[in-house]
Amino acid sequence: METVPGQARVLRFEEVCYGKPVRTQDGPLHDSALYGVNSVTPGVDNPLRYIPANFLGNANLTSSMIDPGFASRGALIVKAVDEGLAIMRMRYRAEAGEGEGGRQFLLSRTLLLPGISFWHEIPPGLFSWCEQALFVQPHVFDQPTSPSTGVIELPAFQPRDVNWFDNLSQHRQIQLGSAFQAITRRIGWTVSRMVAEEERQRPAALIAADLDVISSLPREFPLRQGEADQFILNLGLDPQLTPGAVSYFPGYRGSAIEAPDLHALRIAISNNDESQPVGADVRHPSATSDSLDRKIGSEPIPLKWLS
């Protein structure tokens, strides 16, 4: 999946939608509403794997597990699977109608991008598109579905080089370095409110932009390292549901983790040392814990705001 810098990219994907059927798009549930896979494209071998509970390891899901800031849009979960990369938008919606009170039901939409095994194979701009434009709506009963492979056009992504990186503010460099370190080493990720305010972006949009930069780097590093290492990112979902994930959950406040190794990031951006394994020049911390009493570097910790 080679992407030409500065050009828009047409991306094809498989899709699975899950939930209960409704009478109209914003209306109540249909009389015979039952949970099920509402639509699936032909390229998905086992759509039941993309039911939210199965996708999250047979989790017992409730609406309280989605952070209130993400309730209307839904949580965004990115996971490396055997076929490639799967991106799920998941939310709860009132049975009585959109925006109504009372009982709620779960619905999800999952995009599957087959053939992706390394970060550099992810089209730059994909994460920002998903954060901004990937929505999930309930299936309208008896409405025809489109089983063909989906197509989206990603916006043009401008190349990032060392000059671009050096012109960033120090706070922004640290923010991006934390993202790079979290993804390549599977450790905690510190998100700064100050950087979001400086960049005039919503925090989740800033995180997506950081991931787009990482996927644009010429250095190769895998999406997963063994069967147990599958989760890549969790935006807006209780981190306990995604063990091993780099999780974003803004309810936490605490002290900062150690500063990221910006030299390693500069090397990755400049592509001057591809032969060196990612993270080889980074010292792993020891006996260091954050405010959530998790050992940094040995256990995944959720993203948190700095005070």
Side-chain angles (χ1 to χ4, degrees), residues 147-170:
S148 59
T149 301
V151 178
I152 59 174
E153 182 172 318
L154 299 177
F157 185 85
Q158 299 302 319
R160 306 294 193 241
D161 56 19
V162 173
N163 290 332
W164 169 83
F165 177 76
D166 289 341
N167 287 327
L168 297 176
S169 70
Q170 184 180 26

Side-chain angles (χ1 to χ4, degrees), residues 38 129 163 187:
N38 302 132
W129 180 88
N163 290 332
I187 62 173

Side-chain angles (χ1 to χ4, degrees), residues 45-61:
D45 292 333
N46 184 3
L48 295 182
R49 290 188 305 165
Y50 301 102
I51 293 175
N54 295 340
F55 194 66
L56 297 173
N58 297 317
N60 185 17
L61 300 169

Side-chain angles (χ1 to χ4, degrees), residues 275-299:
S275 62
Q276 183 176 355
V278 172
D281 56 345
V282 180
R283 290 178 300 172
H284 289 262
S286 60
T288 306
S289 298
D290 74 334
S291 60
L292 301 177
D293 295 326
R294 300 178 186 230
K295 291 183 179 179
I296 299 170
S298 61
E299 297 181 37

Side-chain angles (χ1 to χ4, degrees), residues 160-162 216-220 263-276:
R160 306 294 193 241
D161 56 19
V162 173
S216 73
L217 300 180
R219 258 182 115 172
E220 295 187 6
H263 176 65
L265 177 56
R266 284 188 96 257
I267 290 177
I269 293 177
S270 61
N271 195 27
N272 287 332
D273 192 8
E274 288 191 23
S275 62
Q276 183 176 355

Side-chain angles (χ1 to χ4, degrees), residues 204-237:
L206 182 64
I207 292 169
D210 286 350
L211 298 182
D212 284 333
V213 172
I214 294 172
S215 66
S216 73
L217 300 180
R219 258 182 115 172
E220 295 187 6
F221 45 91
L223 284 170
R224 61 192 298 185
Q225 300 172 356
E227 289 297 320
D229 184 18
Q230 295 187 41
F231 285 93
I232 306 302
L233 180 71
N234 161 6
L235 281 173
L237 195 67

Side-chain angles (χ1 to χ4, degrees), residues 168-182:
L168 297 176
S169 70
Q170 184 180 26
H171 293 144
R172 183 72 176 87
Q173 288 182 357
I174 293 174
Q175 170 70 55
L176 184 58
S178 296
F180 178 77
Q181 186 166 274

